[in-house]
Amino acid sequence: QQQVKQSPQSLIVQKGGIPIINCAYENTAFDYFPWYQQFPGKGPALLIAIRPDVSEKKEGRFTISFNKSAKQFSLHIMDSQPGDSATYFCAASLMNRDDKIIFGKGTRLHILP
Amino acid sequence: GAVVSQHPSWVICKSGTSVKIECRSLDFQATTMFWYRQFPKQSLMLMATSNEGSKATYEQGVEKDKFLINHASLTLSTLTVTSAHPEDSSFYICSPRTGNTEAFFGQGTRLTVV
């Protein structure tokens, strides 16, 4: 059973556009929802994360929207740049239990110059 | 963010040999270490979880005798791939965690078994 479902699998956006990546989770006990950015040959790097007690979090050009009742959350990238081209993973975890991170399948994002 | 050092970044070995991958948390003490494996164009799959001084807990389908994990200290964990075969070729990533903190990841190790 896939605990974190991510879509789309791949995404192509023109420079300056706003790519949106969506995720849905099953376990209502999850209390930590991070997004990771991964470049080829590198480990994932934390981009932004949200806890379920807020509906939105913004850091620079990256925004997470969180809908607890729908068990969904999404990543928006404002004013996207070619350097944002990477694979993005949403994830979920039980932070207070120091628990493992459950990853979505990833979205390969390509920003056209 | 926290500094995680993973070595080597890439390694090529012959079938049947063993390879050791090191993961160090340089500025915090990792009470828990997660080891992930990632095949090309796929997501990270958890292999095992280890707590300092305890035996590792392996995910279903992961052979504990093949992937030996040692977490002897709060700053160092190792993953040894024993009797490696070409199907073990993958990208291995460590993730140390401690308490109520975000997860950090190593830079990964690209293992190629020939």
Side-chain angles (χ1 to χ4, degrees):
Chain A
Q1 181 186 8
Q2 189 180 348
Q3 294 194 58
V4 180
K5 295 183 179 180
Q6 182 174 347
S7 63
Q9 190 174 1
S10 63
L11 186 58
I12 300 174
V13 173
Q14 203 74 34
K15 176 184 174 183
I18 305 176
I20 300 173
I21 305 171
N22 300 298
C23 282
Y25 62 98
E26 297 289 330
N27 188 349
T28 55
F30 286 142
D31 61 359
Y32 177 62
F33 302 89
W35 284 89
Y36 293 92
Q37 180 187 58
Q38 186 179 33
F39 293 104
K42 302 294 184 182
L46 179 67
L47 201 58
I48 185 173
I50 197 168
R51 304 296 294 269
D53 52 348
V54 297
S55 60
E56 184 176 281
K57 183 175 181 180
K58 181 180 292 187
E59 287 185 3
R61 296 184 294 109
F62 302 94
T63 300
I64 298 179
S65 297
F66 188 84
N67 186 328
K68 188 174 181 178
S69 61
K71 295 189 289 184
Q72 295 176 346
F73 58 110
S74 60
L75 176 71
H76 296 61
I77 305 176
M78 306 301 176
D79 187 27
S80 58
Q81 301 296 314
D84 296 329
S85 298
T87 299
Y88 292 80
F89 294 97
C90 63
S93 179
L94 291 164
M95 186 181 226
N96 290 333
R97 283 182 49 196
D98 198 18
D99 208 3
K100 59 189 176 185
I101 301 287
I102 307 295
F103 286 87
K105 289 193 172 183
T107 297
R108 294 166 64 89
L109 174 64
H110 184 63
I111 306 298
L112 298 172
Chain B
V3 180
V4 181
S5 176
Q6 185 175 340
H7 292 281
S9 57
W10 61 270
V11 59
I12 301 173
C13 71
K14 291 184 177 180
S15 288
T17 61
S18 296
V19 173
K20 180 182 285 188
I21 301 169
E22 285 191 356
C23 182
R24 296 179 183 272
S25 53
L26 300 183
D27 57 354
F28 70 100
Q29 295 182 324
T31 52
T32 304
M33 183 68 75
F34 300 98
W35 285 94
Y36 293 84
R37 179 167 54 183
Q38 185 179 31
F39 291 106
K41 297 184 180 181
Q42 293 189 23
S43 188
L44 285 77
M45 297 302 295
L46 182 67
M47 298 175 65
T49 303
S50 71
N51 293 301
E52 186 261 340
S54 304
K55 287 185 177 180
T57 301
Y58 291 81
E59 296 297 303
Q60 190 174 10
V62 178
E63 299 176 58
K64 63 178 183 178
D65 294 329
K66 182 170 189 58
F67 299 99
L68 301 180
I69 291 172
N70 183 286
H71 192 175
S73 78
L74 290 172
T75 58
L76 172 65
S77 177
T78 60
L79 167 67
T80 301
V81 183
T82 62
S83 187
H85 290 284
E87 56 265 31
D88 298 325
S89 298
S90 188
F91 194 54
Y92 293 87
I93 307 168
C94 66
S95 176
R97 290 192 78 177
T98 183
N100 189 16
T101 63
E102 61 187 75
F104 297 98
F105 291 83
Q107 284 297 294
T109 297
R110 170 73 59 196
L111 170 63
T112 301
V113 184
V114 297

